[in-house]
Amino acid sequence: MEVETRIAEAQLWIAQRLPLAQIREKAAQNWGITNIKTISRYLALARQRMVEELITDRRRHQAEQIFALNDCARRAMDAEQFNAAVGAFRVIAEIGGLLRAPIKPPEPRA
């Protein structure tokens, strides 16, 4: 149980994009571990689990991102930040597979 808790905590630190030095400090404080190899093993396990979860729960992750972006777009429109709202809707279309490539004007020919 303790190992699972440590892996979950390491996943949180990775998701927060904490620097490695700060992760080492937190591991020392929370787990009492200062060995860099041990901390690296926990981080490797955490990353591996994150990838596995993303692959197996891809549709759920897509749905969560779309709902979060919808909320972001709504708040942007309420604040009259229309460029941000359009950007959020564009990413929603990309996640949903409605938009495959960036929309760019054609290159001018010389």
Side-chain angles (χ1 to χ4, degrees):
M1 186 64 155
E2 186 176 343
V3 171
E4 292 299 319
T5 303
R6 287 178 181 178
I7 292 171
E9 199 168 6
Q11 285 177 315
L12 176 64
W13 297 337
I14 291 168
Q16 291 174 335
R17 307 208 33 89
L18 295 180
L20 187 55
Q22 196 171 357
I23 290 174
R24 287 179 182 157
E25 285 177 23
K26 286 183 171 283
Q29 290 171 355
N30 298 357
W31 307 337
I33 296 174
T34 56
N35 186 315
I36 294 169
K37 286 188 177 187
T38 304
I39 295 169
S40 294
R41 282 189 209 126
Y42 277 116
L43 291 173
L45 281 170
R47 287 185 186 104
Q48 181 181 359
R49 290 228 182 132
M50 291 170 86
V51 169
E52 288 170 5
E53 288 174 12
L54 185 60
I55 290 170
T56 58
D57 297 338
R58 185 178 178 99
R59 288 185 188 255
R60 182 178 55 86
H61 285 289
Q62 285 176 323
E64 289 172 358
Q65 296 304 315
I66 287 171
F67 277 100
L69 283 164
N70 266 326
D71 182 53
C72 180
R74 251 185 264 113
R75 285 186 283 123
M77 289 187 333
D78 290 345
E80 295 186 7
Q81 296 178 354
F82 300 112
N83 285 337
V86 169
F89 286 126
R90 178 185 169 82
V91 174
I92 289 169
E94 289 174 0
I95 291 171
L98 302 172
L99 187 61
R100 294 283 180 213
I103 300 173
K104 292 194 281 187
E107 296 281 330
R109 292 188 177 185

